[in-house]
């Protein structure tokens, strides 16, 4: 397989959780110029890029993917784009869906349009396994219909449709990845695993939605980034690639594992009212990606131990993310969730 030599790569959302790990990976891979475009919403932080922000091959631009002028400046001279920028939290999408349409749908369309004008050779749109909706048995394949069931998932599915439309209508060389639940260092504490760890470290309860028997397939962040890089290099334009691990766990079991790893009080696990429209199970078949040479390298046991060790040692990082704005969101999302 031929490896396209990217001269300048645009990474949107590179100050977020997965994007910041991906920036480190592509710098390690020797990409000559890496441009990061990130709005620095509540979810993004320059601290996620600590250690690489001053890298001579990295240029950081604060800007919005929904702003054509900001995107035109960022994409100028780039031969490839990877779009991580998004509103990403399902619970927030249930509270305020409009922000998800603005960034995930409109913003992606602006990015596609500007990338087309700039003549990029690859455009990888980072999507999610949530576009399939819940998968009660078996595993979703890339050819399965998209049946998103919450506003976040609907906005990601709409973005994919625009991406593939740009491929069909204007021959933009678009690739799509559909990753499963990702975890690891630098994940915002609103998400389940870091929420549970940081609550337990603070002596606070871990809220379990409903019966806690909903299953997610867990992917360590570095494995997710290697998968995106593999698809960027070797994927076929116009196609989607699932990223999974087969390491499905019910949420309750994950919470119990974290309690054990942190030697915390098991009574801190508390069942609360379920998330509306909560998808019961996600599962993807990633054999298409495996055929490109990717396989997950970090087991759930290993990844969880690494993640817990990181959050234990980085109270400075997560306490800054759990600021007043986070407290407001937390109150709004959890205050009326009496035990079911
Ligand atoms: P995140 O919320 O940690 O980071 C998102 C980043 O995008 C932040 O840095 C934020 O500032 C930036 N951003 C938001 N709106 C923007 C805008 N309008 N313009 C420019 N930048 C903007 O998210 P994450 O968990 O790292 O997810 C990254 C991508 O991967 C998303 O597209 C998400 O849908 C997808 N994904 C995430 C997971 C997961 O489990 N975390 C799994 C599959 C796919
Ligand atoms: O599947 C990929 C998706 O995974 C990504 O596209 C999303 O960006 C990412 O946020 C994630 O979505 P989920 O909704 O699956 O992740 P979250 O961490 O919010 O929740 C994981 C599971 O834990 C889910 O079944 C809901 C449950 N949960 C979550 C929270 C925040 C709880 O039981 N209690 C909670 O307080």
């Amino acid at each position: 397989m031929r490896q396209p030599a990217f001269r300048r790569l645009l990474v949107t959302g590179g100050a977020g959780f997965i994007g910041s790990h991906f920036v480190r990976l592509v710098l390690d891979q020797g990409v000559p110029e890496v441009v990061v475009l990130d709005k620095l919403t509540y979810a993004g932080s320059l601290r996620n890029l600590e250690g690489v922000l001053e890298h001579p091959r990295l240029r950081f631009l604060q800007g919005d993917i929904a702003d054509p002028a900001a995107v035109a400046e960022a994409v100028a001279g780039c031969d490839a784009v990877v779009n991580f920028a998004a509103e990403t939290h399902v619970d927030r999408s249930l509270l305020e869906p409009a922000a998800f349409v603005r960034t995930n749908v409109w913003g992606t369309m602006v990015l596609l349009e500007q990338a087309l004008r700039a003549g990029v050779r690859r455009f990888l749109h980072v999507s999610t396994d949530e576009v399939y909706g819940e998968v009660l048995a078996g595993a979703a394949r890339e050819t399965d219909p998209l049946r998103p069931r919450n506003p976040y998932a609907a906005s990601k599915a709409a973005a994919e449709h625009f991406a593939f439309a740009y491929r069909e209508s204007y021959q933009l060389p678009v690739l799509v990845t559909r990753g499963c639940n990702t975890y690891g260092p630098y994940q915002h504490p609103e998400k389940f695993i870091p929420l549970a760890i940081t609550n337990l470290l603070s002596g606070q309860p871990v809220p379990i939605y409903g019966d806690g028997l909903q299953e997610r397939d867990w992917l360590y962040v570095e494995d997710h980034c290697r998968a995106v890089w593999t698809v960027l290099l070797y994927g076929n334009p116009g196609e989607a690639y699932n990223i999974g691990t087969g390491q499905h766990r019910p949420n309750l079991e994950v919470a119990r594992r974290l309690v054990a790893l942190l030697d915390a009080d098991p009574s801190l696990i508390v069942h609360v009212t379920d998330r509306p429209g909560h998808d019961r199970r996600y599962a993807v078949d990633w054999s298409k990606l495996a055929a490109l040479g990717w396989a997950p390298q970090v087991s759930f046991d290993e990844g969880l131990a690494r993640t817990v060790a990181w959050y234990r040692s980085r109270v400075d990082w997560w306490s800054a993310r759990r600021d007043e704005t986070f407290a407001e969101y937390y109150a709004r999302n959890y205050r009326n969730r009496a035990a079911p």
Side-chain angles (χ1 to χ4, degrees):
M1 273 177 281
R2 197 174 62 85
Q3 178 166 318
F6 301 122
R7 213 169 7 90
R8 190 183 292 172
L9 175 64
L10 172 62
V11 181
T12 70
F17 164 48
I18 309 173
S20 61
H21 285 268
F22 186 75
V23 166
R24 289 191 174 82
L25 183 147
V26 295
L27 287 170
D28 284 350
Q29 291 292 325
V31 175
E33 291 178 66
V34 180
V35 180
V36 170
L37 178 68
D38 197 297
K39 190 178 174 183
L40 297 181
T41 66
Y42 80 91
S45 169
L46 291 181
R47 293 190 68 189
N48 296 354
L49 289 169
E50 60 195 357
V52 290
L53 197 54
E54 305 303 327
H55 196 291
R57 286 186 279 120
L58 180 70
R59 182 157 67 109
F60 178 82
L61 299 172
Q62 182 170 4
D64 188 337
I65 60 163
D67 172 359
V71 175
E73 183 194 343
V75 80
C78 289
D79 39 20
V81 176
V82 179
N83 181 28
F84 287 98
E87 290 291 340
T88 61
H89 193 35
V90 172
D91 291 319
R92 289 188 195 252
S93 82
L94 292 160
L95 296 169
E96 283 175 35
F100 287 70
V101 176
R102 185 186 178 281
T103 286
N104 300 1
V105 186
W106 176 251
T108 299
M109 192 280 288
V110 169
L111 196 57
L112 289 161
E113 181 61 30
Q114 295 302 326
L116 181 69
R117 292 183 191 190
V120 304
R121 291 192 293 116
R122 304 286 253 198
F123 184 111
L124 191 149
H125 176 69
V126 178
S127 189
T128 168
D129 64 354
E130 294 208 14
V131 295
Y132 295 114
E134 59 185 4
V135 180
L136 296 176
R141 297 183 67 92
E142 288 84 351
T143 45
D144 285 355
L146 306 190
R147 293 200 175 94
R149 297 179 68 241
N150 63 62
Y152 161 73
S155 71
K156 294 295 289 188
E160 277 199 29
H161 287 311
F162 271 99
F164 287 126
Y166 266 70
R167 161 75 180 166
E168 296 302 323
S169 306
Y170 312 117
Q171 293 75 53
L172 185 68
V174 163
L175 301 134
V176 167
T177 55
R178 295 180 183 147
C180 63
N181 277 66
T182 305
Y183 68 103
Y186 296 105
Q187 187 169 28
H188 194 283
E190 67 191 359
K191 306 291 180 359
F192 181 58
I193 286 183
L195 180 82
I197 296 172
T198 56
N199 275 14
L200 290 169
L201 286 171
S202 317
Q204 289 178 45
V206 176
I208 297 287
Y209 294 159
D211 62 10
L213 299 181
Q214 308 85 0
E215 278 186 25
R216 296 293 183 266
D217 185 6
W218 291 102
L219 172 68
Y220 192 64
V221 62
E222 289 172 6
D223 280 333
H224 192 151
C225 291
R226 285 190 312 98
V228 169
W229 180 239
T230 301
V231 173
L232 185 66
L233 292 180
Y234 306 121
N236 286 326
E239 295 192 22
Y241 293 83
N242 289 337
I243 314 171
T245 68
Q247 302 183 95
H248 300 96
R249 300 283 186 282
N251 296 332
L252 197 52
E253 184 186 320
V254 174
R256 287 180 178 145
R257 298 274 290 276
L258 292 172
V259 163
L261 281 167
L262 288 161
D263 199 17
D265 178 354
S267 71
L268 286 173
I269 296 178
V270 175
H271 291 264
V272 300
T273 308
D274 207 351
R275 177 186 272 175
H278 196 169
D279 289 333
R280 200 72 187 157
R281 179 175 179 270
Y282 297 137
V284 292
D285 177 324
W286 77 95
S287 51
K288 188 173 168 186
L289 176 58
L292 297 184
W294 178 89
Q297 292 181 357
V298 181
S299 70
F300 190 56
D301 283 350
E302 170 63 23
L304 212 54
R306 282 192 208 175
T307 305
V308 165
W310 190 85
Y311 280 88
R312 260 192 203 278
S313 69
R314 294 303 308 269
V315 180
D316 63 312
W317 183 89
W318 61 259
S319 54
R321 313 310 300 153
R322 292 181 63 124
D323 57 8
E324 280 171 24
T325 322
F326 181 74
E328 281 164 27
Y329 155 74
Y330 201 88
R332 206 169 152 208
N333 191 49
Y334 292 96
R335 83 180 142 216
N336 292 324
R337 284 199 138 102

